[in-house]
Amino acid sequence: MTLRYRSPGVYFSPRTRTFTLMAKSSMYVMRVDDGRNLEHLYWGEALPMEDDLTYLSIGNTIIMFDPVGTLTVPKILGLDELDEISDIQGLTDRWKVYTKQKNDPERGSRPRRLENASWRLWTMERNKGGDLNRDLGTETLLSALGEEEAKDEGRFSEKEESKIKKIPTSPTDGHPVPRAATPPFSFLPGPKTAPTSPPVPVSPMGEHIFDHFPKSAGTLTALTQQEPESIIHVVPSEPHDMSRTFPSVRDFREIREHPRHPEESIVNWNVLDPTMAGKNSKLFEFADRGTGDYREPSIMVTYADGSTVSPFEYIQHKIEKGKPRTPEYFPNVRVEDVHEATTLTIDMMDPVTKLVVRLFYTVMHDYDIITRRIEVVNTAGQPVWLERLMSATVDFDSNKYYMTQLSGGWARERQIVTKELQDGLTTFNSCRGASSHQFNPFLVISVGAPFSETTGSVYGFNLIYSGNFLASAEVSESRRMRVNMGVNPVGFRWLLESGESFESPEIVLSYSSTGMGHLSRQLHRLYRNRLIPPRWRQKGCPILLNTWEAVYFKVNHEMVCEIARCCKNMGVELVVVDDGWFSQRNNEFSSLGDWYPNLEKFPFGLEGTVRALEEMGMAMGIWVEPEMVSVDSDLYREHSDWCLHVPERMRTMGRNQLVLDFSRKVVRDYIFEQLDAILGCANITYCKWDFNRHLTEIFTSQEDWPPERQGEIGHRFVVGVYEVFGRITTKYPDVLFESCSGGGGRFDPGMLYFTPQIWASDNTDAISRVYIQYGTSLAYPPRTFGSHVSTVPNHQTLRSTSMKTRSLVAMNGSFGYELDPRHLTDAEINECLGYVQLHQRFRDLVWNGDLFRLRNPFHNDTGAWMYVSEDQHEALVMAVNVRREVGRLEPRLLLQGLGPGKIYEIEELCPGKLVRNVGTGAIELDPNGVYQFGRTLKLSGHSLMVAGLPIKFLFDADSVLFHLKLVSNYQ
Ligand code: DGJ
């Protein structure tokens, strides 16, 4: 028998109440437990469709010294085979039959199981929702049934026999019995409904097809025979209410609404359910607060009465093709065709207040990626304060876990930090109003060891958000581990009036069973194809020169034209006029907010300079910092209340500027008009949107937002920024926007949704950039890195590196220059032109190929990586020696991602030209270049990946570049 795996989509089994989210080759499984919680079962590589994963619930709880959940119920074997009996008489009959049958060896163990189950149910019924911990021995049972009847167990009337024979039995192949869509069996008296529905079509796996599916049972059966998986594409048109398939305990809501005695509505009926015991260790999808799970919750609310207890119960779900619309301008993974994704929406409700949370899971069929987001809908009829809402909570089974984060600071962004998780909370976050240089909203969990590039299970979490976030991993006393990620609750308090709803940012969950490399590659592919604006998917950035490190604030028309004339010879296509072009801006102290050109510097306006550059065959870009205002500005003089501030309090300056209050429409509209005026006045084709300080005094005008809504301003600011980005990029779709925040302080998927590239760091030193870009590549594709060649000695580190190394490093991104070309010699201009041509030759491979990280500079003296084309016909290998240890040899570089049976020709590009004269010890120039191998190599992908490529470095910051081209295939 061959194992069968489901094709991508979302599957629901009413029999087990299990949702299986099938991604490309991995799956995510959860179920609705008997307490109507969403229990997490599994996330990992795909498992055979035959397997019922509810067995993973076994051992899912632990009962410790814990005031909650210490009541437990022994598992009632056979209970699930008795579900169609809805009255005590039927139960009595059944019990008698099984008692009789259980000693017949030919019938196997089934009658014994069923006898036990019917006896227990009978007893519970008799005890009215009874005390399951009571020892109900045979004596009790006998007296309960009445001596007579019990002894008479062998005598049945014909009528009774025939009734019993109609009870469905398990097929001999061991597959579970399909259940008809009948009301749940209740062992407490309740309305008795006879099973009336016609037989429900069943998949080969015993799972139900919803009876309200738009297709007929016949069609489904036919589909099943021809193509078993096709049944999964059937989508219910209406939300599926699972109350019909709910457990064999009396419905909790019914108990609440129609208590049969006063205490019934308030006792914790969950104790009847073994799955509810030990709630503090169970794996959940959505963790509530105040009912026995003491780990960090998914949600925190305060109700109008001041209470914070907020359990949520499953109400209904819906499975639909594609992805439902998200609010306008709210960044999220784009789904462009209904066939490329399936979305599961699950509604959960606080049964007392009626507050609803709606969980959205979108499975991307071509990736091992699921996106999640949450909407809270206030149907409570009263205001509710939302104090925490995680975009995802994922509970992991007990194990040894390592967490990797990307942290650093200004000019040192996204360094790779890995640590083993220990008991308690390990968190990182941003409280700065932006995703920040310090911590990136990206978290990786690796199992058993720090992540490897090529092996092991790795889980990635990436929040599509540019503001305050929280990422946490919590190891509880049972060694269960919970990851929570979402908007940072610090400073967040959202008033949800009745009828209002709140949307969390979306989060990307990715899985790889083959290490970090694969995880990164699928994120790269997703972000290139489904996150950045579609228009820029196939189109990269022109080769640009940015004036910042060339002349800083001293830009003017003449100078820009001169710079353009020089760098045109280097192959540059666009000049970006960075800071300093507007109003009185000559330094960091003034003019932000006054977005009109300084006519002394640009006497012909921006349009004049654009025209001059266009005449040279070049384009022009511009720098702006729309969210900021200088105190010394016309804008501030006129509207000093437009910045974030608390009246009467000091306004904290950062880089001598304040932050405009983008939570206010009036401010957003004003800034939009300013940007519109700049971009509308001339053919500006590129715009760098900077953001140079973080938020303080997060408070806003009472005109717009009353006191009770001040806890919303941090988030409203981010949403406001998205709105302006959305409006302006919609109006100017051909303008390429690059975002920036003092370098890479807002390098996150939220920004990538609007801007296909982000200035990765204010540190342009090639060696520092190896670390920054290597770390950034864990989550983000190289084509999104703004990456420039700057002058030497470098302005941030005073380090000098060769033009070759600076160029190779800059080629791993959107290539450009950040230097004054007027100071370059002709030879240097020519050298630059050579690298520009190299970049042009390989940019498609770098931007769209698969990245394989070969050597981690954080652990080695060298950073190395390679790009492989999708068809494996071509590859580009790069290595940079970040720290030269004299006399140490570099280990061979084991390549990855090649076709093992393919033969590649290996060409070394731009070999170094400096060499030590072994006779004199002097450094000399070898105009022919110092090649690594001295001849062309032709080798199989297999040898290159297993034996590797020997490389050597001669000097500090030395680098190598190889191009591999397919020449033939082994048969
Ligand atoms: C910070 C950016 O990262 C730099 O590239 C430059 O644009 C300056 N701001 C300008 O003020």
Side-chain angles (χ1 to χ4, degrees):
M1 182 177 134
T2 52
L3 293 178
R4 292 188 307 158
Y5 296 88
R6 296 170 200 258
S7 51
V10 175
Y11 302 73
F12 170 64
S13 160
R15 182 177 61 79
T16 57
R17 290 179 246 125
T18 303
F19 298 100
T20 302
L21 280 58
M22 205 48 220
K24 190 176 174 209
S25 60
S26 61
M27 67 197 239
Y28 190 103
V29 186
M30 65 186 112
R31 69 165 196 139
V32 181
D33 74 13
D34 291 357
R36 291 176 181 264
N37 299 291
L38 267 189
E39 180 184 7
H40 177 82
L41 293 176
Y42 177 77
W43 182 18
E45 66 181 79
L47 301 174
M49 62 193 284
E50 276 80 3
D51 290 343
D52 171 1
L53 295 187
T54 53
Y55 82 96
L56 292 167
S57 284
I58 302 168
N60 207 1
T61 56
I62 186 168
I63 295 144
M64 321 189 80
F65 173 70
D66 191 338
V68 176
T70 48
L71 285 180
T72 182
V73 189
K75 173 79 181 151
I76 303 178
L77 287 175
L79 190 62
D80 51 353
E81 295 170 58
L82 286 177
D83 63 341
E84 291 195 12
I85 311 170
S86 55
D87 57 45
I88 187 83
Q89 188 53 48
L91 194 56
T92 309
D93 294 343
R94 197 87 78 85
W95 179 75
K96 287 178 190 168
V97 173
Y98 296 131
T99 305
K100 188 179 164 205
Q101 292 177 348
K102 74 176 180 183
N103 295 324
D104 177 353
E106 282 185 14
R107 290 181 187 269
S109 59
R110 186 166 176 270
R112 214 169 308 130
R113 268 198 326 271
L114 297 178
E115 186 268 346
N116 177 280
S118 46
W119 164 63
R120 282 176 187 274
L121 285 180
W122 190 93
T123 312
M124 286 191 285
E125 168 61 12
R126 184 179 156 274
N127 287 294
K128 302 285 182 257
D131 175 0
L132 295 182
N133 287 318
R134 253 176 68 189
D135 176 20
L136 298 167
T138 321
E139 287 306 310
T140 323
L141 178 69
L142 288 179
S143 66
L145 281 172
E147 297 277 326
E148 275 304 300
E149 243 185 309
K151 282 181 196 146
D152 211 10
E153 60 188 44
R155 289 198 309 270
F156 294 103
S157 66
E158 280 300 307
K159 200 173 143 214
E160 280 166 337
E161 274 287 13
S162 63
K163 188 165 140 202
I164 289 159
K165 278 184 197 135
K166 284 185 205 138
I167 295 167
T169 52
S170 290
T172 45
D173 64 5
H175 283 313
V177 181
R179 296 177 184 203
T182 55
F185 169 72
S186 163
F187 52 76
L188 293 166
K192 288 175 193 165
T193 321
T196 49
S197 330
V200 176
V202 175
S203 80
M205 303 322 306
E207 290 178 7
H208 276 211
I209 310 304
F210 301 122
D211 49 2
H212 55 269
F213 277 171
K215 297 189 181 178
S216 75
T219 320
L220 286 167
T221 310
L223 273 173
T224 302
Q225 280 157 6
Q226 289 156 16
E227 190 196 347
E229 284 85 1
S230 62
I231 56 166
I232 64 151
H233 299 305
V234 178
V235 175
S237 49
E238 295 298 322
H240 179 66
D241 182 347
M242 259 211 291
S243 59
R244 291 178 315 149
T245 53
F246 240 77
S248 22
V249 289
R250 185 168 162 197
D251 187 281
F252 305 137
R253 278 179 301 172
E254 193 192 319
I255 292 173
R256 248 177 240 114
E257 277 149 32
H258 310 289
R260 289 180 307 111
H261 51 85
E263 314 85 73
E264 197 184 50
S265 62
I266 52 167
V267 295
N268 182 3
W269 287 97
N270 295 342
V271 298
L272 293 177
D273 170 12
T275 61
M276 284 302 295
K279 195 171 177 186
N280 195 39
S281 61
K282 195 164 180 171
L283 308 180
F284 288 119
E285 282 296 311
F286 189 76
D288 70 47
R289 183 188 185 197
T291 64
D293 182 346
Y294 297 108
R295 296 163 291 182
E296 300 254 297
S298 310
I299 190 167
M300 281 165 52
V301 293
T302 300
Y303 290 121
D305 65 356
S307 70
T308 57
V309 176
S310 49
F312 287 88
E313 293 177 355
Y314 167 90
I315 297 296
Q316 60 179 2
H317 74 267
K318 185 174 170 185
I319 299 168
E320 60 195 305
K321 290 179 180 174
K323 187 180 188 188
R325 280 176 71 88
T326 46
E328 201 181 14
Y329 305 136
F330 213 76
N332 69 103
V333 170
R334 301 168 201 270
V335 169
E336 296 181 356
D337 184 301
V338 287
H339 300 295
E340 65 187 44
T342 308
T343 299
L344 165 67
T345 308
I346 299 179
D347 284 355
M348 301 183 77
M349 184 190 268
D350 180 332
V352 172
T353 63
K354 311 291 182 224
L355 185 69
V356 168
V357 295
R358 183 163 288 159
L359 314 182
F360 295 90
Y361 296 80
T362 298
V363 182
M364 302 299 294
H365 296 181
D366 294 335
Y367 305 82
D368 282 315
I369 283 178
I370 293 167
T371 66
R372 281 183 70 169
R373 68 187 173 88
I374 299 187
E375 187 184 0
V376 181
V377 187
N378 187 358
T379 51
Q382 286 192 313
V384 171
W385 279 270
L386 193 55
E387 276 140 11
R388 173 186 174 104
L389 183 67
M390 294 293 104
S391 294
T393 298
V394 180
D395 280 344
F396 286 79
D397 183 28
S398 307
N399 208 325
K400 191 179 167 92
Y401 292 106
Y402 285 77
M403 183 178 97
T404 296
Q405 68 199 52
L406 299 176
S407 45
W410 174 76
R412 194 172 37 84
E413 296 90 340
R414 294 173 298 286
Q415 310 288 297
I416 301 175
V417 175
T418 300
K419 47 194 150 193
E420 184 181 349
L421 293 175
Q422 304 289 353
D423 291 8
L425 270 173
T426 306
T427 72
F428 59 91
N429 66 9
S430 169
C431 295
R432 294 169 170 267
S435 48
S436 87
H437 304 82
Q438 287 71 15
F439 298 102
N440 196 266
F442 177 63
L443 178 155
V444 173
I445 296 295
S446 53
V447 182
F451 75 80
S452 132
E453 285 293 333
T454 51
T455 58
S457 276
V458 197
Y459 300 84
F461 298 76
N462 205 181
L463 191 67
I464 308 184
Y465 192 56
S466 310
N468 290 343
F469 72 90
L470 170 70
S472 75
E474 179 178 8
V475 179
S476 64
E477 86 268 32
S478 55
R479 298 261 333 140
R480 284 277 149 90
M481 196 273 286
R482 168 170 296 171
V483 170
N484 264 314
M485 204 158 173
V487 171
N488 197 340
V490 173
F492 174 81
R493 191 162 200 259
W494 195 278
L495 172 62
L496 210 55
E497 294 284 5
S498 178
E500 287 180 351
S501 59
F502 177 83
E503 290 276 347
S504 80
E506 185 169 89
I507 188 167
V508 177
L509 308 186
S510 49
Y511 171 76
S512 159
S513 60
T514 52
M516 191 66 213
H518 175 67
L519 189 110
S520 299
R521 285 186 289 279
Q522 58 176 343
L523 285 175
H524 294 177
R525 230 161 31 86
L526 182 83
Y527 292 170
R528 287 194 309 249
N529 298 333
R530 290 294 178 266
L531 183 66
I532 65 170
R535 175 170 298 257
W536 300 102
R537 239 173 244 163
Q538 301 306 332
K539 226 168 142 189
C541 182
I543 295 151
L544 63 81
L545 183 141
N546 181 297
T547 57
W548 180 243
E549 284 194 23
V551 293
Y552 294 97
F553 293 98
K554 292 200 193 102
V555 282
N556 62 48
H557 174 80
E558 276 312 314
M559 191 187 280
V560 170
C561 291
E562 263 178 58
I563 286 176
R565 252 187 302 276
C566 290
C567 66
K568 186 172 165 48
N569 298 328
M570 293 155 56
V572 169
E573 298 157 329
L574 180 143
V575 175
V576 181
V577 182
D578 205 283
D579 204 346
W581 60 268
F582 52 96
S583 185
Q584 301 307 309
R585 182 79 166 172
N586 296 314
N587 52 42
E588 290 182 357
F589 293 93
S590 82
S591 303
L592 294 172
D594 300 343
W595 299 110
Y596 44 84
N598 176 317
L599 291 180
E600 277 168 30
K601 296 182 182 182
F602 292 88
F604 317 107
L606 293 176
E607 14 345 350
T609 314
V610 169
R611 221 174 306 121
L613 261 57
E614 280 179 344
E615 275 162 22
M616 293 177 218
M618 305 210 33
M620 191 175 110
I622 201 81
W623 173 96
V624 286
E625 195 175 5
E627 295 144 272
M628 298 294 163
V629 63
S630 305
V631 170
D632 180 7
S633 68
D634 294 343
L635 179 63
Y636 191 79
R637 280 183 281 274
E638 214 172 305
H639 297 289
S640 63
D641 62 327
W642 277 16
C643 63
L644 291 171
H645 71 285
V646 184
E648 318 285 313
R649 286 194 189 275
M650 190 186 82
R651 301 174 185 197
T652 304
M653 298 284 252
R655 207 200 189 202
N656 311 299
Q657 62 202 46
L658 297 169
V659 184
L660 284 175
D661 183 355
F662 267 47
S663 76
R664 299 184 65 185
K665 187 169 177 328
V666 61
V667 176
R668 295 197 300 272
D669 286 349
Y670 175 83
I671 291 298
F672 174 80
E673 280 162 25
Q674 299 290 300
L675 294 174
D676 191 14
I678 298 168
L679 298 177
C681 80
N683 188 22
I684 290 168
T685 55
Y686 164 103
C687 182
K688 177 174 169 188
W689 178 313
D690 208 344
F691 174 82
N692 278 304
R693 60 153 293 183
H694 291 142
L695 276 50
T696 52
E697 289 89 31
I698 302 176
F699 192 84
T700 189
S701 157
Q702 308 273 313
E703 270 171 45
D704 289 26
W705 304 110
E708 61 274 21
R709 289 204 174 267
Q710 294 297 328
E712 302 172 11
I713 302 309
H715 181 67
R716 287 194 186 276
F717 175 89
V718 180
V719 175
V721 172
Y722 289 153
E723 185 212 279
V724 178
F725 259 117
R727 285 168 65 190
I728 202 76
T729 52
T730 306
K731 179 145 190 197
Y732 295 96
D734 292 329
V735 175
L736 172 64
F737 280 82
E738 173 161 345
S739 58
C740 168
S741 168
R746 215 160 49 172
F747 205 119
D748 58 63
M751 282 293 133
L752 286 177
Y753 183 75
F754 300 102
T755 73
Q757 58 198 56
I758 302 177
W759 182 227
S761 178
D762 270 353
N763 190 337
T764 56
D765 172 68
I767 298 304
S768 304
R769 276 295 184 123
V770 168
Y771 292 95
I772 293 166
Q773 295 179 181
Y774 195 94
T776 309
S777 80
L778 255 46
Y780 308 103
R783 69 149 293 168
T784 64
F785 311 168
S787 187
H788 299 169
V789 176
S790 60
T791 193
V792 284
N794 176 268
H795 288 194
Q796 293 80 41
T797 62
L798 278 193
R799 189 164 17 217
S800 288
T801 51
S802 66
M803 180 61 86
K804 171 185 170 183
T805 297
R806 282 178 281 153
S807 308
L808 293 200
V809 172
M811 276 168 62
N812 294 277
S814 286
F815 184 89
Y817 288 92
E818 191 95 6
L819 45 70
D820 192 338
R822 296 172 304 170
H823 301 153
L824 296 179
T825 63
D826 286 350
E828 284 168 331
I829 297 260
N830 256 332
E831 195 182 358
C832 289
L833 179 61
Y835 288 115
V836 164
Q837 286 165 348
L838 209 56
H839 160 71
Q840 285 167 329
R841 181 173 159 202
F842 293 118
R843 66 182 161 197
D844 190 50
L845 184 51
V846 170
W847 288 346
N848 299 314
D850 278 330
L851 172 73
F852 292 83
R853 286 176 297 261
L854 306 178
R855 194 155 291 162
N856 183 342
F858 293 93
H859 301 150
N860 298 280
D861 293 338
T862 294
W865 54 92
M866 67 189 284
Y867 300 91
V868 182
S869 63
E870 210 179 336
D871 58 10
Q872 296 181 316
H873 286 186
E874 203 186 358
L876 199 62
V877 180
M878 302 187 191
V880 179
N881 193 205
V882 289
R883 195 173 72 110
R884 179 82 196 118
E885 285 274 39
V886 178
R888 292 275 287 269
L889 287 175
E890 191 65 28
R892 291 171 190 150
L893 205 52
L894 304 184
L895 305 191
Q896 294 176 37
L898 302 173
K902 293 185 161 54
I903 311 290
Y904 296 93
E905 188 174 87
I906 300 146
E907 180 195 8
E908 184 178 0
L909 300 167
C910 51
K913 295 223 163 96
L914 293 179
V915 67
R916 186 179 299 280
N917 180 321
V918 285
T920 65
I923 303 292
E924 290 175 357
L925 189 74
D926 181 344
N928 298 322
V930 188
Y931 285 87
Q932 298 273 325
F933 312 124
R935 65 189 170 93
T936 306
L937 298 180
K938 268 191 199 164
L939 288 163
S940 69
H942 195 175
S943 294
L944 289 166
M945 295 192 289
V946 174
L949 206 57
I951 51 169
K952 57 180 182 298
F953 296 111
L954 298 179
F955 308 108
D956 205 22
D958 209 354
S959 54
V960 288
L961 175 70
F962 302 103
H963 179 230
L964 274 63
K965 211 171 67 203
L966 176 79
V967 284
S968 59
N969 281 302
Y970 277 120
Q971 289 314 310

